[in-house]
Amino acid sequence: MAPNQKLAELEAWRVSGITRTYPSYRREWPISEESWLEGKHSDDAAEGLWRIRDKLYDLTDFAGRHPGGAFWIERTKGTDITEPFESHHIEEHAERMLSKFEVRSAAQPRNYKFTLEEKSFYLTLKRRVREKLRQLNYRPSHKTDLLHTGILISVLLFSWAGTALNSLPLRAVAGLSLCWLSTSAHNYFHQRDNWRMYSFNLLLLNCNSWRISHALSHHIYPNSLHDLEMSLFEPFLCWVPSRHYASRVQRVISVLISPFIYTVMSLVQFTERLVYSLLKRNVMYWHDLLGFTLPVFLYASTHADLSSVIVSWLIILGMASFLFGFIGLTAAHHDPRIYHDGDAPRPDRDWGLFQLDTIIDRGDIKWSDLLVLTHFGEHALHHMFPTLDHGVLRQLYPELQQTLREFKSELREMNHWGHIKGQTQQLLRMKTNPIPPGSKKAE
């Protein structure tokens, strides 16, 4: 192949179906939450301000008064926050306040191809959800809090028992409890600052870091080249269906090593952030120390020596990390029937329909509040309305189904075994899907 032809081919695959440009952060290594934000500063044409649709706002003085916490405002400066703004503010109060902070119109068109029209799928659903909130039963949220508290207590009890009795089965239960604590804490870091979100850090992950990689990246741009929950795993795991991102051999190896990747995930992420802080600039928080409270508790409350406590903790941590990765990556998103960047996109670029195209919900856990909370259940509704407690999402299905019928779309469902098989098939998939979601051929 001639050099010019090879260069042209390389540039052809450096395209994302949801943006006009290839994401800048993918041109640098290593990939991190910080490089992702820096890439958005380059790509989003926000001119150092906050961009919502085609207008620029200065939210500097508002950050300290933001009801959700200053973090969301401070970390998104210089980026396009159109979709996060819409999905995180169901009521109209925030929309009415925007004019106070308007600076000027943006000089360039939006990089993202998503639409949010008044009569579109998402904003129609959002209006109906807004009306439903006025008569919503919020008592399930209290049950969510009780479940989370119970799981936190079980982490301490089973970790203590497993260490004190030197019992592998009890450590396994402690690992499951720690996994469930993190998945349930995920419910809270989408919301305004609260103490429960910090329990996520017991897995050595960090709630603020995940607010970037999960809430601002994955939730808004799932299964795309802008999704950190895909790119952070590359080249070890690759879900993008293209030989340019991973060869056939790489993909087979990724299936075989995925259990190991899950197991070391939490330790690796903590180490990466620590090294970045030492070599470049600090991205650690005071609450990163919470990740070490479990071994401190075990050392102080059992008669085990320090080395035994560390070994016990690492066993619990490894089991929890494995289960967290396994549950999370087989929750809703990866299957050959689900849209991934490179596949033909739906002609209607409505952001809400895009969320449906990148999700197949877990239909087998809807009966249990505990499983919904700990297995990323009600996934489509959670993606579209992330600030709502998981416990109340099921009350929104009448509004969702009504809107789906009106826009001739559907919410797909399957069980966990289907997702496990689907994720394996997606890891191996190299050919893009030429049939757009929602078309008759796709059906």
Side-chain angles (χ1 to χ4, degrees):
M1 183 182 292
N4 289 342
Q5 183 180 352
K6 187 174 182 180
L7 181 62
E9 183 180 339
L10 286 172
E11 288 303 317
W13 65 262
R14 281 185 171 175
V15 174
S16 171
I18 68 169
T19 51
R20 304 180 191 282
T21 62
Y22 185 77
S24 295
Y25 84 98
R26 277 183 165 268
R27 301 180 187 274
E28 306 293 334
W29 192 89
I31 288 174
S32 67
E33 292 84 1
E34 298 305 311
S35 69
W36 183 81
L37 286 171
E38 290 167 5
K40 281 180 69 65
H41 294 161
S42 301
D43 299 339
D44 285 6
E47 304 173 43
L49 298 167
W50 289 261
R51 179 170 185 155
I52 300 176
R53 294 187 173 84
D54 292 323
K55 292 186 177 181
L56 302 178
Y57 301 87
D58 187 350
L59 303 176
T60 305
D61 294 336
F62 178 67
R65 295 181 283 122
H66 181 231
F71 177 89
W72 299 104
I73 303 294
E74 293 171 349
R75 298 299 275 139
T76 55
K77 183 178 181 180
T79 70
D80 186 333
I81 59 169
T82 303
E83 287 77 22
F85 178 83
E86 286 290 347
S87 58
H88 284 69
H89 301 98
I90 303 175
E91 297 291 349
E92 297 175 294
H93 311 309
E95 187 82 36
R96 295 192 190 107
M97 291 178 62
L98 274 181
S99 60
K100 301 178 182 178
F101 306 101
E102 183 178 337
V103 177
R104 59 180 178 273
S105 295
Q108 300 178 42
R110 288 190 76 212
N111 189 31
Y112 302 97
K113 298 178 181 178
F114 297 128
T115 59
L116 288 160
E117 306 293 339
E118 279 302 313
K119 295 184 179 180
S120 66
F121 170 82
Y122 182 69
L123 290 189
T124 300
L125 175 61
K126 184 178 173 182
R127 285 192 295 273
R128 288 170 176 160
V129 168
R130 185 186 305 136
E131 290 298 319
K132 184 64 170 283
L133 293 184
R134 295 183 174 89
Q135 54 184 347
L136 204 67
N137 176 13
Y138 286 96
R139 280 178 293 181
S141 297
H142 302 308
K143 183 177 181 180
T144 301
D145 292 344
L146 288 173
L147 288 171
H148 175 263
T149 301
I151 294 169
L152 175 58
I153 294 171
S154 72
V155 169
L156 299 176
L157 289 178
F158 285 112
S159 296
W160 181 89
T163 303
L165 301 175
N166 193 25
S167 167
L168 186 60
L170 287 175
R171 289 183 183 127
V173 177
L176 174 63
S177 300
L178 182 56
C179 164
W180 280 11
L181 181 67
S182 299
T183 53
S184 61
H186 144 267
N187 176 64
Y188 296 99
F189 69 61
H190 282 283
Q191 302 169 11
R192 64 182 62 193
D193 292 348
N194 60 90
W195 73 265
R196 293 181 185 276
M197 72 182 191
Y198 296 117
S199 64
F200 185 78
N201 296 18
L202 289 183
L203 191 54
L204 276 192
L205 303 174
N206 183 275
C207 55
N208 277 355
S209 178
W210 272 63
R211 278 179 161 181
I212 299 171
S213 64
H214 182 77
L216 293 173
S217 175
H218 168 71
H219 256 251
I220 306 303
Y221 317 113
N223 292 9
S224 76
L225 298 181
H226 301 262
D227 183 352
L228 272 173
E229 289 192 4
M230 294 213 307
S231 57
L232 283 172
F233 285 97
E234 297 172 7
F236 305 105
L237 303 178
C238 180
W239 295 276
V240 182
S242 168
R243 63 185 177 85
H244 296 290
Y245 289 92
S247 66
R248 173 64 67 186
V249 173
Q250 284 177 290
R251 292 174 186 274
V252 172
I253 293 174
S254 72
V255 172
L256 297 176
I257 67 172
S258 57
F260 173 75
I261 299 298
Y262 303 158
T263 303
V264 300
M265 181 180 70
S266 62
L267 273 172
V268 168
Q269 287 200 10
F270 180 86
T271 303
E272 286 177 339
R273 294 177 56 245
L274 181 60
V275 171
Y276 186 95
S277 296
L278 293 173
L279 298 181
K280 295 191 73 173
R281 62 187 178 86
N282 182 44
V283 293
M284 304 295 283
Y285 301 89
W286 67 264
H287 40 84
D288 278 304
L289 294 173
L290 295 175
F292 298 96
T293 56
L294 186 56
V296 169
F297 163 74
L298 295 176
Y299 184 67
S301 62
T302 67
H303 296 295
D305 58 66
L306 181 60
S307 60
S308 298
V309 165
I310 292 174
V311 169
S312 182
W313 173 59
L314 289 175
I315 291 172
I316 294 168
L317 188 69
M319 289 182 173
S321 181
F322 168 78
L323 291 169
F324 183 84
F326 175 68
I327 292 171
L329 292 173
T330 58
H333 288 287
H334 299 307
D335 183 281
R337 293 165 293 177
I338 296 175
Y339 173 88
H340 288 73
D341 223 333
D343 294 335
R346 179 190 291 264
D348 185 345
R349 293 306 187 95
D350 177 79
W351 180 76
L353 291 175
F354 174 76
Q355 296 295 321
L356 294 177
D357 294 339
T358 59
I359 290 170
I360 296 180
D361 243 320
R362 286 279 304 273
D364 56 333
I365 59 174
K366 292 183 182 293
W367 61 275
S368 168
D369 291 333
L370 175 63
L371 293 179
V372 165
L373 179 64
T374 56
H375 288 70
F376 304 102
E378 319 291 17
H379 211 86
L381 281 170
H382 172 61
H383 259 250
M384 290 187 282
F385 305 104
T387 59
L388 293 180
D389 186 89
H390 267 73
V392 304
L393 288 174
R394 67 177 57 184
Q395 299 179 58
L396 304 180
Y397 276 108
E399 287 68 31
L400 175 60
Q401 294 297 342
Q402 178 187 357
T403 312
L404 288 171
R405 289 192 298 270
E406 185 176 329
F407 286 85
K408 297 180 174 57
S409 191
E410 64 173 340
L411 174 65
R412 298 171 292 178
E413 293 183 356
M414 67 178 173
N415 61 26
H416 197 202
W417 176 240
H419 273 295
I420 294 170
K421 292 188 296 182
Q423 202 234 173
T424 302
Q425 293 167 346
Q426 183 61 36
L427 284 170
L428 296 172
R429 179 160 78 104
M430 297 185 68
K431 292 184 178 180
T432 58
N433 187 352
I435 302 174
S439 66
K440 291 184 179 180
K441 291 183 179 179
E443 296 170 2

Short mmCIF file of all heavy atoms in Angstrom, two decimals, residues 168-209:
data_model
loop_
_atom_site.label_atom_id
_atom_site.label_comp_id
_atom_site.label_asym_id
_atom_site.label_seq_id
_atom_site.Cartn_x
_atom_site.Cartn_y
_atom_site.Cartn_z
N LEU A 168 -11.40 -18.10 53.89
CA LEU A 168 -11.53 -17.67 52.50
C LEU A 168 -13.00 -17.48 52.09
O LEU A 168 -13.33 -16.49 51.42
CB LEU A 168 -10.83 -18.65 51.56
CG LEU A 168 -10.78 -18.23 50.09
CD1 LEU A 168 -10.04 -16.90 49.92
CD2 LEU A 168 -10.12 -19.33 49.25
N PRO A 169 -13.90 -18.40 52.46
CA PRO A 169 -15.32 -18.17 52.12
C PRO A 169 -15.88 -16.86 52.68
O PRO A 169 -16.62 -16.16 52.00
CB PRO A 169 -16.04 -19.39 52.72
CG PRO A 169 -15.00 -20.45 52.74
CD PRO A 169 -13.72 -19.74 53.07
N LEU A 170 -15.51 -16.53 53.92
CA LEU A 170 -16.00 -15.28 54.51
C LEU A 170 -15.37 -14.07 53.81
O LEU A 170 -16.01 -13.04 53.63
CB LEU A 170 -15.69 -15.24 56.00
CG LEU A 170 -16.54 -16.15 56.88
CD1 LEU A 170 -16.05 -16.12 58.33
CD2 LEU A 170 -18.01 -15.76 56.82
N ARG A 171 -14.11 -14.21 53.39
CA ARG A 171 -13.50 -13.12 52.62
C ARG A 171 -14.18 -12.96 51.27
O ARG A 171 -14.31 -11.85 50.76
CB ARG A 171 -12.01 -13.41 52.41
CG ARG A 171 -11.17 -13.28 53.68
CD ARG A 171 -9.71 -13.52 53.35
NE ARG A 171 -8.88 -13.46 54.54
CZ ARG A 171 -8.03 -14.42 54.91
NH1 ARG A 171 -7.92 -15.54 54.19
NH2 ARG A 171 -7.29 -14.28 56.00
N ALA A 172 -14.62 -14.07 50.69
CA ALA A 172 -15.34 -14.00 49.41
C ALA A 172 -16.64 -13.24 49.57
O ALA A 172 -17.01 -12.40 48.73
CB ALA A 172 -15.59 -15.40 48.87
N VAL A 173 -17.35 -13.50 50.67
CA VAL A 173 -18.59 -12.78 50.93
C VAL A 173 -18.29 -11.30 51.19
O VAL A 173 -19.04 -10.41 50.76
CB VAL A 173 -19.35 -13.40 52.13
CG1 VAL A 173 -20.61 -12.58 52.44
CG2 VAL A 173 -19.72 -14.84 51.83
N ALA A 174 -17.18 -11.04 51.89
CA ALA A 174 -16.76 -9.65 52.11
C ALA A 174 -16.46 -8.96 50.79
O ALA A 174 -16.79 -7.78 50.60
CB ALA A 174 -15.54 -9.62 53.02
N GLY A 175 -15.82 -9.69 49.86
CA GLY A 175 -15.54 -9.12 48.55
C GLY A 175 -16.81 -8.80 47.78
O GLY A 175 -16.91 -7.75 47.14
N LEU A 176 -17.79 -9.72 47.85
CA LEU A 176 -19.08 -9.45 47.22
C LEU A 176 -19.74 -8.23 47.84
O LEU A 176 -20.28 -7.37 47.14
CB LEU A 176 -19.99 -10.67 47.36
CG LEU A 176 -21.43 -10.50 46.86
CD1 LEU A 176 -21.46 -10.23 45.36
CD2 LEU A 176 -22.27 -11.73 47.21
N SER A 177 -19.68 -8.14 49.16
CA SER A 177 -20.28 -6.99 49.86
C SER A 177 -19.59 -5.69 49.46
O SER A 177 -20.26 -4.67 49.24
CB SER A 177 -20.18 -7.18 51.38
OG SER A 177 -20.85 -8.34 51.80
N LEU A 178 -18.26 -5.72 49.34
CA LEU A 178 -17.53 -4.51 48.95
C LEU A 178 -17.86 -4.11 47.52
O LEU A 178 -17.98 -2.92 47.22
CB LEU A 178 -16.02 -4.75 49.11
CG LEU A 178 -15.11 -3.56 48.78
CD1 LEU A 178 -15.49 -2.32 49.58
CD2 LEU A 178 -13.65 -3.93 49.02
N CYS A 179 -18.01 -5.10 46.65
CA CYS A 179 -18.45 -4.81 45.28
C CYS A 179 -19.81 -4.15 45.29
O CYS A 179 -20.03 -3.11 44.64
CB CYS A 179 -18.49 -6.10 44.46
SG CYS A 179 -19.43 -5.97 42.92
N TRP A 180 -20.75 -4.74 46.03
CA TRP A 180 -22.10 -4.18 46.09
C TRP A 180 -22.11 -2.80 46.73
O TRP A 180 -22.93 -1.96 46.36
CB TRP A 180 -23.01 -5.13 46.87
CG TRP A 180 -23.49 -6.29 46.05
CD1 TRP A 180 -23.05 -6.66 44.81
CD2 TRP A 180 -24.49 -7.25 46.42
NE1 TRP A 180 -23.72 -7.78 44.38
CE2 TRP A 180 -24.62 -8.16 45.35
CE3 TRP A 180 -25.28 -7.42 47.54
CZ2 TRP A 180 -25.51 -9.23 45.37
CZ3 TRP A 180 -26.18 -8.48 47.57
CH2 TRP A 180 -26.29 -9.37 46.50
N LEU A 181 -21.21 -2.56 47.68
CA LEU A 181 -21.13 -1.23 48.28
C LEU A 181 -20.75 -0.21 47.22
O LEU A 181 -21.33 0.89 47.17
CB LEU A 181 -20.09 -1.23 49.41
CG LEU A 181 -19.93 0.11 50.13
CD1 LEU A 181 -21.18 0.46 50.93
CD2 LEU A 181 -18.70 0.08 51.05
N SER A 182 -19.81 -0.54 46.37
CA SER A 182 -19.37 0.39 45.34
C SER A 182 -20.44 0.60 44.27
O SER A 182 -20.67 1.73 43.83
CB SER A 182 -18.07 -0.12 44.69
OG SER A 182 -17.04 -0.22 45.65
N THR A 183 -21.10 -0.47 43.85
CA THR A 183 -22.14 -0.31 42.84
C THR A 183 -23.34 0.47 43.39
O THR A 183 -23.95 1.25 42.66
CB THR A 183 -22.60 -1.68 42.30
OG1 THR A 183 -22.99 -2.52 43.39
CG2 THR A 183 -21.50 -2.34 41.50
N SER A 184 -23.64 0.28 44.66
CA SER A 184 -24.74 1.05 45.24
C SER A 184 -24.33 2.49 45.51
O SER A 184 -25.14 3.41 45.37
CB SER A 184 -25.24 0.40 46.54
OG SER A 184 -24.22 0.34 47.52
N ALA A 185 -23.05 2.73 45.86
CA ALA A 185 -22.56 4.09 46.06
C ALA A 185 -22.57 4.88 44.76
O ALA A 185 -22.69 6.11 44.77
CB ALA A 185 -21.15 4.06 46.65
N HIS A 186 -22.47 4.17 43.64
CA HIS A 186 -22.56 4.81 42.33
C HIS A 186 -23.87 5.59 42.19
O HIS A 186 -23.94 6.63 41.54
CB HIS A 186 -22.43 3.73 41.24
CG HIS A 186 -23.26 3.92 40.03
ND1 HIS A 186 -24.51 3.37 39.88
CD2 HIS A 186 -23.03 4.62 38.89
CE1 HIS A 186 -25.00 3.70 38.71
NE2 HIS A 186 -24.14 4.46 38.08
N ASN A 187 -24.93 5.10 42.83
CA ASN A 187 -26.22 5.80 42.82
C ASN A 187 -26.08 7.21 43.39
O ASN A 187 -26.78 8.13 42.96
CB ASN A 187 -27.22 5.00 43.67
CG ASN A 187 -28.56 5.68 43.82
OD1 ASN A 187 -29.28 5.88 42.85
ND2 ASN A 187 -28.91 6.06 45.04
N TYR A 188 -25.14 7.39 44.32
CA TYR A 188 -25.06 8.65 45.06
C TYR A 188 -24.08 9.65 44.46
O TYR A 188 -24.26 10.85 44.65
CB TYR A 188 -24.69 8.36 46.52
CG TYR A 188 -25.74 7.55 47.24
CD1 TYR A 188 -25.60 6.18 47.40
CD2 TYR A 188 -26.89 8.16 47.73
CE1 TYR A 188 -26.57 5.42 48.04
CE2 TYR A 188 -27.87 7.41 48.37
CZ TYR A 188 -27.71 6.05 48.52
OH TYR A 188 -28.68 5.31 49.15
N PHE A 189 -23.03 9.20 43.77
CA PHE A 189 -22.11 10.21 43.26
C PHE A 189 -22.64 10.91 42.01
O PHE A 189 -22.07 11.88 41.55
CB PHE A 189 -20.68 9.68 43.06
CG PHE A 189 -20.44 8.66 41.97
CD1 PHE A 189 -20.69 8.94 40.64
CD2 PHE A 189 -19.88 7.42 42.29
CE1 PHE A 189 -20.42 8.01 39.64
CE2 PHE A 189 -19.61 6.49 41.30
CZ PHE A 189 -19.88 6.79 39.97
N HIS A 190 -23.77 10.42 41.48
CA HIS A 190 -24.47 11.16 40.43
C HIS A 190 -25.27 12.34 41.00
O HIS A 190 -25.68 13.22 40.25
CB HIS A 190 -25.45 10.25 39.69
CG HIS A 190 -24.80 9.34 38.69
ND1 HIS A 190 -24.36 9.78 37.47
CD2 HIS A 190 -24.51 8.01 38.74
CE1 HIS A 190 -23.85 8.78 36.78
NE2 HIS A 190 -23.92 7.69 37.54
N GLN A 191 -25.50 12.33 42.29
CA GLN A 191 -26.35 13.31 42.94
C GLN A 191 -25.51 14.42 43.56
O GLN A 191 -24.30 14.47 43.39
CB GLN A 191 -27.21 12.60 43.99
CG GLN A 191 -28.07 11.48 43.42
CD GLN A 191 -28.71 10.62 44.49
OE1 GLN A 191 -28.68 10.94 45.68
NE2 GLN A 191 -29.27 9.48 44.08
N ARG A 192 -26.17 15.32 44.27
CA ARG A 192 -25.44 16.37 44.96
C ARG A 192 -24.52 15.75 46.01
O ARG A 192 -24.73 14.62 46.44
CB ARG A 192 -26.41 17.37 45.61
CG ARG A 192 -27.28 16.79 46.71
CD ARG A 192 -28.23 17.84 47.24
NE ARG A 192 -29.14 18.31 46.22
CZ ARG A 192 -29.90 19.39 46.33
NH1 ARG A 192 -29.85 20.12 47.44
NH2 ARG A 192 -30.72 19.75 45.37
N ASP A 193 -23.50 16.49 46.41
CA ASP A 193 -22.51 15.96 47.36
C ASP A 193 -23.20 15.39 48.60
O ASP A 193 -24.11 16.02 49.17
CB ASP A 193 -21.54 17.06 47.79
CG ASP A 193 -20.64 17.52 46.64
OD1 ASP A 193 -20.62 16.83 45.61
OD2 ASP A 193 -19.98 18.56 46.79
N ASN A 194 -22.79 14.19 49.00
CA ASN A 194 -23.38 13.52 50.16
C ASN A 194 -22.37 12.53 50.70
O ASN A 194 -21.43 12.11 50.02
CB ASN A 194 -24.67 12.81 49.75
CG ASN A 194 -24.42 11.75 48.67
OD1 ASN A 194 -24.15 10.60 48.98
ND2 ASN A 194 -24.47 12.16 47.40
N TRP A 195 -22.55 12.11 51.96
CA TRP A 195 -21.55 11.25 52.58
C TRP A 195 -21.52 9.86 51.97
O TRP A 195 -20.47 9.19 51.96
CB TRP A 195 -21.78 11.15 54.09
CG TRP A 195 -22.97 10.33 54.53
CD1 TRP A 195 -24.22 10.76 54.81
CD2 TRP A 195 -22.98 8.90 54.76
NE1 TRP A 195 -25.03 9.72 55.19
CE2 TRP A 195 -24.29 8.56 55.16
CE3 TRP A 195 -22.03 7.88 54.65
CZ2 TRP A 195 -24.67 7.25 55.46
CZ3 TRP A 195 -22.40 6.57 54.94
CH2 TRP A 195 -23.71 6.28 55.35
N ARG A 196 -22.65 9.39 51.45
CA ARG A 196 -22.71 8.02 50.96
C ARG A 196 -21.83 7.81 49.72
O ARG A 196 -21.34 6.70 49.49
CB ARG A 196 -24.16 7.64 50.64
CG ARG A 196 -25.05 7.55 51.87
CD ARG A 196 -26.47 7.15 51.53
NE ARG A 196 -27.34 7.18 52.70
CZ ARG A 196 -27.45 6.20 53.59
NH1 ARG A 196 -26.76 5.09 53.42
NH2 ARG A 196 -28.26 6.34 54.62
N MET A 197 -21.64 8.84 48.93
CA MET A 197 -20.84 8.68 47.72
C MET A 197 -19.40 8.32 48.06
O MET A 197 -18.71 7.67 47.27
CB MET A 197 -20.90 9.94 46.85
CG MET A 197 -20.14 11.14 47.38
SD MET A 197 -20.36 12.56 46.28
CE MET A 197 -19.11 13.69 46.96
N TYR A 198 -18.92 8.73 49.24
CA TYR A 198 -17.54 8.46 49.61
C TYR A 198 -17.29 6.98 49.93
O TYR A 198 -16.14 6.53 49.92
CB TYR A 198 -17.13 9.32 50.80
CG TYR A 198 -17.13 10.79 50.50
CD1 TYR A 198 -18.00 11.67 51.15
CD2 TYR A 198 -16.27 11.32 49.54
CE1 TYR A 198 -18.00 13.03 50.86
CE2 TYR A 198 -16.28 12.68 49.24
CZ TYR A 198 -17.15 13.52 49.91
OH TYR A 198 -17.15 14.87 49.61
N SER A 199 -18.35 6.22 50.18
CA SER A 199 -18.16 4.79 50.43
C SER A 199 -17.66 4.08 49.17
O SER A 199 -17.10 2.98 49.25
CB SER A 199 -19.46 4.16 50.92
OG SER A 199 -20.48 4.23 49.93
N PHE A 200 -17.85 4.71 48.01
CA PHE A 200 -17.32 4.18 46.76
C PHE A 200 -15.80 4.01 46.85
O PHE A 200 -15.22 3.10 46.24
CB PHE A 200 -17.68 5.15 45.62
CG PHE A 200 -17.30 4.70 44.24
CD1 PHE A 200 -18.06 3.75 43.57
CD2 PHE A 200 -16.19 5.23 43.61
CE1 PHE A 200 -17.71 3.34 42.29
CE2 PHE A 200 -15.83 4.83 42.33
CZ PHE A 200 -16.60 3.88 41.67
N ASN A 201 -15.15 4.86 47.63
CA ASN A 201 -13.69 4.88 47.71
C ASN A 201 -13.10 3.70 48.46
O ASN A 201 -11.89 3.49 48.41
CB ASN A 201 -13.22 6.18 48.37
CG ASN A 201 -13.57 7.42 47.56
OD1 ASN A 201 -14.43 7.38 46.69
ND2 ASN A 201 -12.90 8.52 47.84
N LEU A 202 -13.92 2.93 49.17
CA LEU A 202 -13.40 1.76 49.88
C LEU A 202 -12.85 0.72 48.91
O LEU A 202 -12.08 -0.15 49.31
CB LEU A 202 -14.49 1.13 50.76
CG LEU A 202 -14.90 1.94 52.00
CD1 LEU A 202 -15.92 1.17 52.81
CD2 LEU A 202 -13.69 2.27 52.86
N LEU A 203 -13.22 0.81 47.63
CA LEU A 203 -12.70 -0.10 46.61
C LEU A 203 -11.40 0.43 45.99
O LEU A 203 -10.90 -0.11 45.03
CB LEU A 203 -13.75 -0.33 45.52
CG LEU A 203 -13.52 -1.45 44.51
CD1 LEU A 203 -13.27 -2.79 45.19
CD2 LEU A 203 -14.67 -1.54 43.53
N LEU A 204 -10.85 1.51 46.57
CA LEU A 204 -9.66 2.20 46.09
C LEU A 204 -9.91 2.98 44.81
O LEU A 204 -8.98 3.48 44.18
CB LEU A 204 -8.48 1.24 45.89
CG LEU A 204 -7.63 0.91 47.11
CD1 LEU A 204 -6.34 0.19 46.69
CD2 LEU A 204 -7.28 2.13 47.93
N LEU A 205 -11.16 3.04 44.39
CA LEU A 205 -11.56 3.94 43.32
C LEU A 205 -11.92 5.27 43.97
O LEU A 205 -11.95 5.39 45.18
CB LEU A 205 -12.74 3.35 42.54
CG LEU A 205 -12.49 1.96 41.94
CD1 LEU A 205 -13.77 1.42 41.32
CD2 LEU A 205 -11.38 2.00 40.90
N ASN A 206 -12.20 6.29 43.16
CA ASN A 206 -12.50 7.59 43.75
C ASN A 206 -13.78 8.16 43.13
O ASN A 206 -13.91 8.21 41.90
CB ASN A 206 -11.35 8.56 43.53
CG ASN A 206 -11.59 9.90 44.18
OD1 ASN A 206 -12.22 10.78 43.61
ND2 ASN A 206 -11.10 10.06 45.41
N CYS A 207 -14.70 8.60 43.97
CA CYS A 207 -16.00 9.06 43.50
C CYS A 207 -15.87 10.30 42.59
O CYS A 207 -16.60 10.42 41.60
CB CYS A 207 -16.94 9.34 44.66
SG CYS A 207 -16.30 10.50 45.90
N ASN A 208 -14.96 11.21 42.90
CA ASN A 208 -14.80 12.39 42.05
C ASN A 208 -14.18 12.03 40.71
O ASN A 208 -14.57 12.57 39.67
CB ASN A 208 -13.94 13.44 42.76
CG ASN A 208 -14.75 14.28 43.73
OD1 ASN A 208 -15.97 14.15 43.82
ND2 ASN A 208 -14.09 15.15 44.46
N SER A 209 -13.21 11.15 40.74
CA SER A 209 -12.61 10.69 39.48
C SER A 209 -13.66 10.02 38.61
O SER A 209 -13.70 10.23 37.39
CB SER A 209 -11.46 9.73 39.79
OG SER A 209 -10.89 9.23 38.61
#
